[in-house]
Amino acid sequence: MDALPDFEVVRPKTLDALIAARTAHPQSSLLGGGTDLIVNIRRGIVAPKVLIETSGVAELHAIAADAHKLAIGAAVTLSELAAHPDVVRYYPAVAQAAAHIAGPTQRNMGTVGGNLCLDTRCIFYNQSEWWRDANRHCLKTIGTVCHVAPKSRGVCFATFSGESGACAFDLGRRGRYRRTGRRPHHAPCCSLYRLCAAG
């Protein structure tokens, strides 16, 4: 197994400190459970020089759920979300979705923010550096072709794989429908969902 590249880990304790760290290091990556990011670093897919750990920020671990609203901190683990009594009571679909993402180990470590903002997945992109080099790389890295769809004319077909995004999208759509009395064309969280889906 290849050694990890050198990087610095910043461990803010408040939301303001996290924002300041991100401002100071705009090319950094946020580190929650690390179930996706650390694997991608090890494979040579990404090599951030700075990681900003989110687990020490109390505000990001909060869950607030009642009959009118649901607020979930980015550092909440999928297991915590699935077991939260108010989420189970008022938003059972969210609790059920969280309980069925990946396996128990990933749910215990993986965070809601990480699952929503997962990098795209692809049989060519999510491989080791030597494998990608042997296969002439892909459009998402330093290649010129999407090997999944070679005739795609420069379009990358790597797919978004965060399971929680679809549930959030649907909840946003339903919430707006209840408030306005008409079915919307775009959910309130649609822009964030599309941004995450674009990688």
Side-chain angles (χ1 to χ4, degrees):
M1 187 175 290
D2 295 335
L4 291 173
D6 292 335
F7 53 79
E8 175 189 358
V9 179
V10 179
R11 295 183 170 91
K13 297 300 181 185
T14 67
L15 196 54
D16 286 343
L18 188 151
I19 292 169
R22 179 68 171 164
T23 301
H25 305 284
Q27 301 303 315
S28 61
S29 292
L30 298 178
L31 175 64
T35 57
D36 197 60
L37 178 61
I38 298 301
V39 172
N40 283 348
I41 292 174
R42 192 176 297 282
R43 287 175 173 166
I45 293 171
V46 293
K49 298 297 183 185
V50 177
L51 300 180
I52 301 175
E53 187 177 350
T54 62
S55 62
V57 181
E59 298 99 315
L60 297 182
H61 289 275
I63 299 175
D66 59 30
H68 305 289
K69 69 178 182 302
L70 172 62
I72 307 166
V76 170
T77 68
L78 296 167
S79 291
E80 289 169 341
L81 181 62
H84 193 279
D86 290 336
V87 176
V88 171
R89 178 181 177 185
Y90 295 111
Y91 302 93
V94 173
Q96 291 168 20
H100 287 86
I101 293 173
T105 302
Q106 288 82 10
R107 290 194 296 271
N108 289 339
M109 289 296 297
T111 62
V112 173
N115 187 258
L116 183 61
C117 296
L118 275 177
D119 198 356
T120 49
R121 298 291 177 86
C122 175
I123 191 173
F124 287 90
Y125 174 65
N126 290 80
Q127 298 291 341
S128 65
E129 176 66 27
W130 69 263
W131 192 96
R132 284 179 283 137
D133 186 51
N135 287 278
R136 298 180 293 115
H137 290 272
C138 69
L139 186 67
K140 190 161 176 59
T141 55
I142 60 173
T144 57
V145 120
C146 177
H147 295 294
V148 174
K151 297 180 181 179
S152 61
R153 298 183 182 179
V155 177
C156 172
F157 275 76
T159 58
F160 174 67
S161 60
E163 298 89 340
S164 60
C167 190
F169 180 88
D170 188 56
L171 279 176
R173 179 181 61 79
R174 290 168 186 261
R176 183 169 175 185
Y177 178 64
R178 284 197 299 269
R179 288 194 303 273
T180 64
R182 53 188 167 80
R183 191 168 299 278
H185 295 293
H186 300 288
C189 59
C190 189
S191 295
L192 173 62
Y193 178 70
R194 286 180 177 170
L195 175 64
C196 294

